[in-house]
Amino acid sequence: MSSNISSGIGGDQQGNDSASVDVEAMRKKYREERERRLRPSGNEQFPELVGPLARFQADPFVDPDFTRPPVEDEVDVLVVGGGLGGLLAGAELRKAGVKRIRIVERAGDFGGVWYWNRYPGAMCDVESYLYLPLLEETGYMPTEKYAHQPEIFAYLKLVGQTFDLYDDALFQTAITKLEWDDNRQKWLVHTDRNDRFAASHVVMASGQQVLPRLPGIAGIEKFTGHVFHTSRWDYGYTGGNASGDMRGLADKRVGIIGTGATALQCAPEVAESAQQLFIFQRTPSTVSPRNNHPTDPAWAASLRPGWQRERMTNFVSMALGKDVSEDLVDDGWTYAWKKLGKGLVDAPLGTTSSSEEAELLDMELISEIHARIDSIVEDRETAEALKPYYRFWCKRPGFHDGYLPMFNRPNVTLVDTHGQGVDAITPMGVIVDGQEFELDCIVFATGFDVGHGYLSAAGFDLIGRDGLSLSQQWDNGLRTFHGFYAAGMPNCYFMGATQAGTTANFVHTLWEQAEHIAYVVNRVAESSATSVETTIEAVEEWQEVIHGNPNPELLKFWQDCTPGYFTSEGNVDNPKGILADRYPQGALAYCDLLREWREEGSLRGLIVK
Ligand code: NDP
């Protein structure tokens, strides 16, 4: 089977002649590339950040000698985590009239991933008019379609100020334990700064891609040059700031290990500053056009109240292949959704299917991406090495306009490891295929720990009613009702991908969850009750919704994917993996279900007493 396609990857894409897809040849190539990358160690290939590697987690953006007296008081709501989820929870609880809201955050400020990821070139990959929540409430308009990290970080601090979340917040503080006290009907909170306070309710917004992940490379601790992870960018060494201008690299040979969404954004900035840049690639990303541009003031002035929610719904509807009257966002994401819209099954980022028709459309999209590489990258060998061979949604897609042209610079070398990864790290540099690359600096753009379970990212356990721990309950995977409540954990609400419906704009789900939690907390406050808790039956019912009807097409799709964090590195069945616990109908249906539940008004599935 073959098809003729014409190139166009959405928006102002690179024009290209039509190309033809040889389906059988592509299938074979996909299989071969996948096999090359599979490792029996799966998720366990990545080392634990202990011993000499523990320093990669340290926060370089704070005063390490910071101290404060321990806190001993009571608050209405404890929010664990001050990223997008925690801030949304704080904002919606504040809107609902909750007085004492305490956000506890490991980092030195609000911002979550936007606090940590200050690497040069960092910007949101989902349009900022959708990704930055509460724009109508704060009266803020992002300056660009895809805002850069300094603006996003500043905006999230503005959200904290607007909703008065700073006064009670505790930064540079990690929760060590939460214990439910049945006598007081409150959670007792323990932290690593010896705080002991009580909270009537707990919102768990501790995030998903939190802990930096290092590559499993022999000798990783032996390198004697400078080394850091992208989420702890060392501007003290590189000079410059998130906009680049890293003069400290002018005489340096820099190696970036990893070619995911982060590397796509930071490598072009490093290339501008470094004497030499080597990019060590295991699997190429799909790189589609970005087309960023400043916000048009006339467009911003034309927006009518309710515009942000409408735009968000439009975006997620397209992700699910639904008909919309207009593609409001019109970018690389929506282009892919339109192209692959005949897919049937909701994968984390868009619909897909293992049907032949869907497979063919997917191959056409990948071929467009290949054609774009050929049209930009001058060196043929480099261009070939940059071509991804897997289904589009197998990995998080990338969007950038500077990454591919960067390989035409004389100071940039792609070191393709043919799916094997870097062989070893030595005191002087990096070895690939027997060749040593001497380096002054190694940057690990190797992502975040995913797939070791919810509590591994949170970093502490919850002890609920009758001494039952959450770690016991969730040992074999999550068990919630509606994604929020665990049995025996009164007044505790989970946010994020905990058996919820998610989409490429993760904020869509977080915001709905925040409103939902504020509603429930308010309902408890309005009654004379002191606790709200899920029934076991409601949890069982939700397990049926989440796991009761596994879709063989989706399973096959993932089994055929090249390994990555979506598939727990090829271990699709990992019960703690990102795929294991998703609401199968997607974010829109999930949000509708929650809204209908609220409208029905009986708090079905919950015991309030
Ligand atoms: P990823 O996990 O996506 O990528 C890690 C990279 O490291 C991959 O290229 C991986 O290769 C490579 N790698 C791992 N081990 C080795 C090894 N031994 N040798 C060589 N290479 C290795 O991390 P990112 O930080 O790029 O992105 C993580 C997530 O963060 C994204 O998926 C996205 O959700 C989010 N993000 C969002 C952004 C935004 O909205 N602006 C921007 C950046 C990130 P392989 O593929 O073979 O495993």
Side-chain angles (χ1 to χ4, degrees):
M1 189 176 17
S2 75
S3 94
N4 285 320
I5 58 162
S6 58
S7 157
I9 327 182
D12 309 329
Q13 315 296 328
Q14 299 282 325
N16 207 69
D17 296 338
S18 66
S20 94
V21 176
D22 180 337
V23 174
E24 284 309 328
M26 283 282 257
R27 276 189 190 146
K28 182 164 174 287
K29 179 81 171 157
Y30 283 18
R31 260 197 316 273
E32 286 167 0
E33 293 290 318
R34 175 176 180 276
E35 297 298 319
R36 227 200 272 269
R37 287 170 173 78
L38 276 176
R39 274 162 189 63
S41 51
N43 255 342
E44 305 318 311
Q45 70 184 277
F46 304 105
E48 257 191 275
L49 300 193
V50 292
L53 301 185
R55 69 190 172 94
F56 284 94
Q57 275 193 65
D59 183 347
F61 312 119
V62 288
D63 170 7
D65 299 324
F66 164 77
T67 56
R68 62 165 173 78
V71 170
E72 290 183 17
D73 62 1
E74 279 192 27
V75 295
D76 298 314
V77 182
L78 159 71
V79 180
V80 182
L84 274 155
L87 285 167
L88 276 164
E92 292 301 332
L93 287 161
R94 188 67 84 209
K95 282 201 239 168
V98 176
K99 293 211 163 43
R100 290 208 66 187
I101 302 166
R102 171 165 296 148
I103 299 184
V104 175
E105 167 58 57
R106 271 194 206 123
D109 208 328
F110 293 135
V113 294
W114 298 102
Y115 171 92
W116 295 110
N117 289 283
R118 304 178 188 200
Y119 58 82
M123 67 170 102
C124 57
D125 257 349
V126 167
E127 193 194 65
S128 39
Y129 317 128
L130 317 167
Y131 183 76
L132 296 191
L134 299 157
L135 289 178
E136 292 188 68
E137 286 85 338
T138 56
Y140 185 82
M141 180 53 67
T143 62
E144 298 175 282
K145 189 169 167 78
Y146 304 94
H148 281 73
Q149 180 272 341
E151 181 174 358
I152 300 175
F153 185 28
Y155 177 70
L156 295 180
K157 290 193 266 191
L158 174 73
V159 170
Q161 283 152 8
T162 306
F163 294 94
D164 194 16
L165 298 170
Y166 271 96
D167 279 355
D168 264 326
L170 299 177
F171 295 113
Q172 288 184 254
T173 302
I175 308 270
T176 49
K177 188 163 68 167
L178 293 180
E179 276 177 300
W180 174 251
D181 181 338
D182 216 29
N183 294 326
R184 290 175 71 186
Q185 296 280 287
K186 290 186 192 305
W187 286 93
L188 302 184
V189 185
H190 304 246
T191 77
D192 63 352
R193 292 192 182 270
N194 295 320
D195 306 306
R196 296 284 178 273
F197 62 91
S200 303
H201 299 264
V202 169
V203 177
M204 290 290 294
S206 46
Q208 208 178 2
Q209 300 205 33
V210 177
L211 303 172
R213 183 178 77 173
L214 299 186
I217 302 176
I220 188 168
E221 70 294 339
K222 292 196 179 132
F223 183 59
T224 52
H226 206 75
V227 56
F228 54 88
H229 186 270
T230 44
S231 68
R232 306 289 189 272
W233 197 272
D234 188 350
Y235 286 107
Y237 174 79
T238 64
N241 52 40
S243 307
D245 194 23
M246 292 173 281
R247 291 175 191 191
L249 298 182
D251 58 350
K252 301 289 189 297
R253 291 164 62 88
V254 180
I256 295 182
I257 298 185
T259 50
T262 298
L264 258 47
Q265 294 183 342
C266 73
E269 301 293 339
V270 175
E272 293 275 339
S273 299
Q275 185 198 83
Q276 280 291 322
L277 171 61
F278 297 89
I279 307 216
F280 297 94
Q281 171 183 277
R282 191 164 73 173
T283 309
S285 284
T286 58
V287 188
S288 298
R290 180 68 306 173
N291 294 322
N292 196 10
H293 54 72
T295 300
D296 174 3
W299 168 79
S302 74
L303 295 167
R304 295 283 160 263
W307 70 268
Q308 191 179 28
R309 294 299 188 119
E310 189 193 327
R311 203 172 177 89
M312 288 171 82
T313 303
N314 178 270
F315 188 70
V316 72
S317 301
M318 295 197 68
L320 292 163
K322 293 191 187 307
D323 284 334
V324 292
S325 57
E326 192 187 350
D327 173 1
L328 293 174
V329 174
D330 188 22
D331 72 353
W333 291 101
T334 64
Y335 177 78
W337 290 328
K338 282 184 280 195
K339 175 98 193 164
L340 306 178
K342 293 213 174 71
L344 301 171
V345 183
D346 177 42
L349 299 175
T351 56
T352 189
S353 142
S354 59
S355 73
E356 281 206 6
E357 189 187 11
E359 185 188 20
L360 184 59
L361 291 168
D362 202 310
M363 285 177 179
E364 289 179 359
L365 180 54
I366 293 293
S367 298
E368 290 176 13
I369 287 166
H370 290 179
R372 181 163 179 261
I373 295 168
D374 281 333
S375 72
I376 295 175
V377 179
E378 288 157 10
D379 178 69
R380 288 301 88 206
E381 202 182 325
T382 304
E384 282 311 309
L386 285 167
K387 291 180 182 171
Y389 286 94
Y390 46 83
R391 294 280 296 265
F392 189 73
W393 298 122
C394 280
K395 281 183 174 268
R396 160 70 149 71
F399 307 91
H400 209 277
D401 294 335
Y403 184 74
L404 295 174
M406 170 189 73
F407 291 100
N408 296 333
R409 296 178 63 108
N411 68 332
V412 176
T413 306
L414 178 72
V415 183
D416 183 27
T417 67
H418 305 285
Q420 298 307 299
V422 167
D423 292 332
I425 294 181
T426 68
M428 302 300 288
V430 156
I431 296 187
V432 174
D433 216 4
Q435 184 183 349
E436 182 166 26
F437 295 83
E438 286 191 15
L439 300 170
D440 299 297
C441 173
I442 297 177
V443 178
F444 292 126
T446 41
F448 302 90
D449 182 47
V450 179
H452 285 103
Y454 182 86
L455 289 170
S456 155
F460 64 92
D461 205 353
L462 287 84
I463 313 296
R465 201 190 286 290
D466 304 325
L468 180 72
S469 70
L470 195 67
S471 55
Q472 281 168 310
Q473 232 190 103
W474 285 5
D475 196 30
N476 287 317
L478 307 180
R479 292 178 64 76
T480 73
F481 168 51
H482 278 177
F484 292 101
Y485 322 91
M489 301 283 156
N491 297 8
C492 180
Y493 317 86
F494 296 89
M495 288 182 85
T498 46
Q499 303 197 316
T502 58
T503 176
N505 183 17
F506 203 64
V507 172
H508 192 111
T509 299
L510 292 174
W511 198 350
E512 188 71 30
Q513 290 175 324
E515 284 189 319
H516 194 80
I517 292 168
Y519 167 85
V520 176
V521 169
N522 219 20
R523 285 288 304 271
V524 177
E526 280 167 5
S527 66
S528 56
T530 51
S531 78
V532 56
E533 188 176 338
T534 180
T535 63
I536 306 279
E537 294 73 31
V539 174
E540 293 300 334
E541 267 173 39
W542 195 246
Q543 298 324 292
E544 191 53 29
V545 172
I546 301 292
H547 300 297
N549 197 12
N551 190 319
E553 262 193 67
L554 188 57
L555 186 64
K556 165 102 175 67
F557 172 82
W558 289 118
Q559 282 168 340
D560 290 347
C561 274
T562 200
Y565 74 84
F566 283 173
T567 60
S568 288
E569 307 300 323
N571 181 8
V572 175
D573 300 327
N574 177 10
K576 295 183 177 172
I578 220 164
L579 299 175
D581 282 296
R582 303 179 57 258
Y583 179 67
Q585 310 306 324
L588 213 53
Y590 176 70
C591 295
D592 286 348
L593 178 141
L594 297 182
R595 224 165 287 143
E596 282 160 20
W597 182 90
R598 295 198 295 270
E599 279 162 16
E600 194 264 330
S602 71
L603 302 184
R604 193 174 43 78
L606 301 181
I607 303 166
V608 181
K609 59 183 183 191

